[in-house]
Amino acid sequence: MTDANADLAQLIRTIDDFPKPGIQFRDITTLLLDAKGFHASIERLAASAPEGIDLIAGIEARGFIFSSAVATQTAKGLVLIRKDGKLPGATIGVDYALEYGTDRVVMHEDACVPGQKVLLVDDLIATGGTALAAVRLLRQAGAEVVGASFVIDLPDLGGADKLRAAGVPVTTLVAFEGD
């Protein structure tokens, strides 16, 4: 996090022991309530977008808030990455591991065409499981994932480093130590 984004960090509330004891939940709803802070977060995410992108991809659910605003700010289309069973058309999907079990993310099979450059946008990167699954899904469709942008990074959980190891440049606005 740079000092330039300290104003945003102050707008993000921490809720202890949610959703289970020992977790410090970083709550973006307080950032969303602050019109100037929310606007600044979108402007900064959009400004960090790589040159030549074709599409913005957003991950359900809070990621839709930021990805749709960044798509509007950059005048790009929006790819929705959702949990299985939520999209009405024909989909392609990727399964990924959770702490206990598996989950699946999908997108419409015609959401992007091979060779399109896509920026992945979400509210937070923690362990990176969902973001890595989204990258795999986009690549399965033939897209080139040219970056991933997040409002919040939890660096101690290693998700941003996993994305970088997978060849995806990562931009974050703020970072909070711990989980």
Side-chain angles (χ1 to χ4, degrees):
M1 176 181 78
T2 66
D3 290 337
N5 294 322
D7 58 330
L8 301 180
Q10 293 175 352
L11 296 172
I12 298 168
R13 170 174 52 189
T14 300
I15 299 176
D16 292 327
D17 299 320
F18 182 83
K20 60 184 183 180
I23 301 293
Q24 292 184 327
F25 186 83
R26 306 305 176 167
D27 180 20
I28 54 113
T29 61
T30 46
L31 171 64
L32 298 174
L33 285 167
D34 187 285
K36 288 180 182 177
F38 181 40
H39 183 76
S41 68
I42 297 307
E43 284 187 327
R44 294 172 195 175
L45 286 170
S48 70
E51 292 290 321
I53 58 172
D54 299 306
L55 295 168
I56 304 294
I59 301 172
E60 182 177 348
R62 290 180 304 271
F64 287 172
I65 298 166
F66 293 96
S67 61
S68 61
V70 170
T72 299
Q73 184 82 16
T74 58
K76 303 299 177 191
L78 179 65
V79 176
L80 300 180
I81 298 176
R82 302 207 62 188
K83 296 205 172 172
D84 199 18
K86 302 287 186 179
L87 291 171
T91 61
I92 58 173
V94 169
D95 295 320
Y96 64 102
L98 299 171
E99 187 175 355
Y100 300 102
T102 61
D103 210 344
R104 183 173 180 81
V105 291
V106 301
M107 67 182 204
H108 281 127
E109 65 183 12
D110 60 354
C112 60
V113 297
Q116 282 189 303
K117 293 177 175 27
V118 179
L119 173 66
L120 181 66
V121 175
D122 203 358
D123 68 317
L124 180 138
I125 180 76
T127 63
T130 306
L132 283 167
V135 167
R136 286 179 36 225
L137 180 61
L138 289 161
R139 287 176 173 167
Q140 176 183 318
E144 180 184 348
V145 182
V146 296
S149 295
F150 304 90
V151 176
I152 301 170
D153 180 18
L154 302 179
D156 293 344
L157 297 180
D161 288 337
K162 290 176 188 172
L163 282 173
R164 289 182 190 104
V168 179
V170 176
T171 300
T172 62
L173 298 181
V174 298
F176 291 100
E177 300 303 316
D179 53 354

